[in-house]
Amino acid sequence: MRVEDYREILALHRFLFESKGDDLTSIYAGSPYIAAVQNRLADALEAADPGDGWTNWRAADGHETRVEAVRRHLRSSGDAWNSMSPDVRAGYVRDLLAPLRLPETLLAELIKIRALPATGDATT
């Protein structure tokens, strides 16, 4: 099977992006496989529609609502998050935010988040 039509690629991209954002606790939201598909779809959209539109759209800094949702998710992830190494955390954050591109400063901030037990508030 091949998806070749721009509209099909765009529809699949939108579906995955919105679906993943609806439930960041889902095993699919942080899946490296789903993230890889999302990145390939966004790469195809960028290639098919030259210019800065898609490049600008993929900048995570322009999606503060999504980034804040990821912050909340990480703060509520408890020991699972706290026990991850920095490299594993970075991969997980990139997968959660795919196909967005994170500047290193934002990535560094997100991987430093500490999750607390459900009864407390998390701090960075």
Side-chain angles (χ1 to χ4, degrees):
M1 178 182 96
R2 290 174 49 155
V3 179
E4 296 178 4
D5 182 82
Y6 181 87
R7 290 170 301 197
E8 289 176 350
I9 295 169
L10 181 60
L12 184 55
H13 154 73
R14 285 181 177 168
F15 173 78
L16 289 172
F17 189 74
E18 295 304 321
S19 295
K20 186 163 74 170
D22 287 344
D23 184 8
L24 292 173
T25 64
S26 163
I27 61 169
Y28 302 108
S31 166
Y33 303 110
I34 299 295
V37 169
Q38 288 183 278
N39 282 317
R40 283 198 306 271
L41 289 168
D43 291 346
L45 290 167
E46 274 186 297
D49 189 7
D52 292 335
W54 279 107
T55 301
N56 292 338
W57 182 88
R58 290 182 79 180
D61 291 342
H63 296 268
E64 188 54 38
T65 301
R66 180 63 57 99
V67 172
E68 185 55 36
V70 168
R71 282 187 188 101
R72 285 191 308 273
H73 168 69
L74 298 176
R75 288 180 182 128
S76 68
S77 294
D79 289 336
W81 172 252
N82 289 338
S83 65
M84 290 180 191
S85 71
D87 287 342
V88 172
R89 284 181 177 204
Y92 182 64
V93 167
R94 283 188 189 103
D95 291 343
L96 284 171
L97 286 167
L100 303 179
R101 295 180 178 127
L102 288 83
E104 288 301 316
T105 54
L106 178 57
L107 181 61
E109 175 221 322
L110 293 173
I111 66 173
K112 288 179 184 175
I113 289 175
R114 295 287 299 164
L116 294 178
T119 58
D121 292 326
T123 58
T124 56

